Amino acid sequence: AKDQGRNTYQFYTEGMQEKEMMRLELDKDLSEALANDEFVLYYQPQLNLDTGEINNVEALIRWQHPTRGLLSPVEFIPLAEESGRITEIGRWVVLAACRQLARWKGTACGHLRIAVNLSGRELEDATLVDHVRDALTTENIAPHMLELELTEEIFIQNIAQNRSQLSQLHQLGTRLAIDDFGVGYSSLGYLRDFPVDQLKIDRSFITNVTERHDDAVITRAVINLAHNLGIQVVAEGVETEDQLHFLQAHRCNLAQGYLISRPIPGAELEKAIREGALFTGQ
Ligand code: C2E
Ligand code: CA
Ligand code: CA
Ligand code: CA
C-alpha cells in the first residue's frame, strides 16, 4: 500500500499515521517542485458567442512530475490549500501568467486576457495584492489583462477580511470572476457588494442542460441574472454542439469546454489561434 501511495498521491491508505506521512511527503515534494520549476500552466480558451472570437483564456496548473508524469491539480491543490503551500504556488501562478502575457505580446495571442484561479487560502495572505502588482509591473502587463477567479464561498466567509483585499485588487485594475457559480451557496448579496466582471456557470448545470428541464431553467435564470446586473456570463464544461446552441439561443456571452478546446500549453494555443484551428461554432 505504501508503494502505491507513494506512486500516486492517492490517500486511500487506512492508517492515520500513514496518511499523515503521505501528506508531509507530498508537501515536501510540492516545495521541491517550486524550487525545481516543475509546475506548468495550461490554457483553455473561452469562445465569445456573439463574435466567434477568443479574447479570454483560463490558466490551469499542472505538475510536470519528474517520475509520475503530468499531474492534475485535483491531485495536489486540495492538499496545498490545507498545508498553506498554496500561497507560494499561487504566487508562482500569477507570475507565470504575467510572463505568458508578456511572451504573447505581438503574437496572434497578444489580445488575450488570462484568468487565474485563486483559492480562499491565498486571499488570507496580506501580501497578495503587492505580489500581483509586482508581477504585473515586472512583466509590464496592463492590470485588466489579468482576471482572478474566485469561488462563491470566498465572498460569503470572512467577508470583512476578504473585502479589503478584493477592493485593493479592484483598485489595481484586475478583473474579478465568480467560479463554479450556483453550487453550494445560495447567497446572492455579494453580487451587489463586490465589483464582479464575470460569472462562470458551473459545469454541473451545463452537462445535461439540453436534456434536463431543471438544469435548463437554472442556466437561463443565471444568464438573465448576470445580464441584468451587467456581468458577463460564461458556461463551463461545454462539450457538445447542442449545448453550445442552447447557450447561443439564450444569449450566454462565452463558452468554455472541451468542444472548443481542452486546456493546452501556451505555445500550442498560440499556434492554434494563429492558424485559426480552434472550433468557433461558425
Ligand atoms: P475549475 O477552476 O473549475 O476548472 C475547470 C476544470 O474543468 C479544469 O480541470 C478543466 O480542465 C475542466 N474542464 C474544462 N472543460 C471541460 C469539459 O468540457 N468537460 C470536463 N469534463 N471538464 C472540463 P483541471 O484543470 O483539472 O482543474 C481542476 C481544478 O483545480 C480547477 O477547477 C481549480 O479549482 C483547480 N485549479 C486549477 N489550477 C489552479 C491554480 O492555478 N490555482 C488554484 N488555486 N486552483 C487551481
Ligand atoms: Ca476556474
Ligand atoms: Ca469552474
Ligand atoms: Ca472548481
Side-chain angles (χ1 to χ4, degrees):
K2 191 166 182 208
D3 280 351
Q4 270 182 321
R6 291 174 67 94
N7 224 14
T8 61
Y9 292 124
Q10 299 295 313
F11 302 105
Y12 48 65
T13 49
E14 296 290 313
M16 284 303 288
Q17 262 185 334
E18 211 173 334
K19 237 174 215 166
E20 192 47 38
M21 296 276 288
M22 223 69 93
R23 284 171 192 281
L24 288 174
E25 178 165 330
L26 173 53
D27 187 55
K28 185 170 134 282
D29 288 1
L30 286 172
S31 155
E32 279 166 19
L34 279 161
N36 299 336
D37 211 17
E38 288 167 10
F39 294 113
V40 282
L41 291 182
Y42 274 35
Y43 298 91
Q44 187 175 39
Q46 297 176 346
L47 176 65
N48 184 314
L49 297 178
D50 296 323
T51 63
E53 288 167 2
I54 287 161
N55 305 113
N56 304 289
V57 297
E58 177 177 2
L60 294 153
I61 196 170
R62 275 94 182 89
W63 180 1
Q64 185 62 67
H65 195 285
T67 57
R68 297 172 179 117
L70 197 66
L71 298 183
S72 146
V74 300
E75 294 196 59
F76 60 89
I77 290 291
L79 195 125
E81 286 171 349
E82 262 179 57
S83 72
R85 188 71 60 190
I86 192 68
T87 304
E88 247 176 293
I89 295 176
R91 287 177 180 197
W92 178 86
V93 169
V94 167
L95 188 58
C98 289
R99 285 195 180 129
Q100 183 65 79
L101 286 167
R103 254 195 317 270
W104 275 341
K105 276 186 187 169
T107 76
C109 287
H111 64 296
L112 293 187
R113 163 187 296 140
I114 296 182
V116 299
N117 292 280
L118 287 189
S119 53
R121 197 71 200 262
E122 294 176 63
L123 227 63
E124 286 171 19
D125 171 20
T127 66
L128 171 72
V129 182
D130 290 338
H131 242 273
V132 173
R133 189 189 296 107
D134 286 352
L136 290 166
T137 308
T138 305
E139 298 300 326
N140 194 21
I141 301 301
H144 72 269
M145 298 298 275
L146 190 67
E147 186 162 89
L148 309 172
E149 291 194 6
L150 302 158
T151 51
E152 293 169 273
E153 72 266 20
I154 288 167
F155 297 88
I156 295 157
Q157 300 162 353
N158 300 324
I159 287 207
Q161 190 194 344
N162 290 345
R163 186 183 301 268
S164 124
Q165 293 262 82
L166 288 169
S167 87
Q168 286 181 64
L169 288 165
H170 179 67
Q171 267 174 353
L172 188 58
T174 55
R175 287 177 38 119
L176 186 58
I178 309 295
D179 207 358
D180 304 346
F181 186 79
V183 293
Y185 294 86
S186 57
S187 170
L188 293 172
Y190 69 87
L191 291 177
R192 179 196 54 209
D193 301 338
F194 291 100
V196 174
D197 298 289
Q198 213 183 64
L199 267 193
K200 303 191 74 180
I201 308 175
D202 191 67
R203 170 157 61 89
S204 59
F205 298 107
I206 305 303
T207 302
N208 299 305
V209 77
T210 57
E211 292 104 43
R212 287 196 44 181
H213 179 67
D214 289 359
D215 287 340
V217 168
I218 292 168
T219 298
R220 286 204 308 264
V222 174
I223 293 171
N224 289 331
L225 172 73
H227 284 173
N228 291 332
L229 290 169
I231 301 172
Q232 231 185 16
V233 61
V234 188
E236 294 194 286
V238 179
E239 295 184 351
T240 71
E241 294 207 38
D242 283 351
Q243 291 164 358
L244 191 78
H245 293 148
F246 175 95
L247 294 164
Q248 265 166 334
H250 294 100
R251 312 220 46 85
C252 185
N253 300 113
L254 303 161
Q256 182 180 347
Y258 294 167
L259 176 67
I260 295 115
S261 170
R262 288 185 178 258
I264 51 177
E268 212 174 298
L269 184 71
E270 197 277 322
K271 182 166 184 285
I273 290 194
R274 178 161 33 86
E275 293 176 350
L278 289 179
F279 177 92
T280 60
Q282 316 286 301

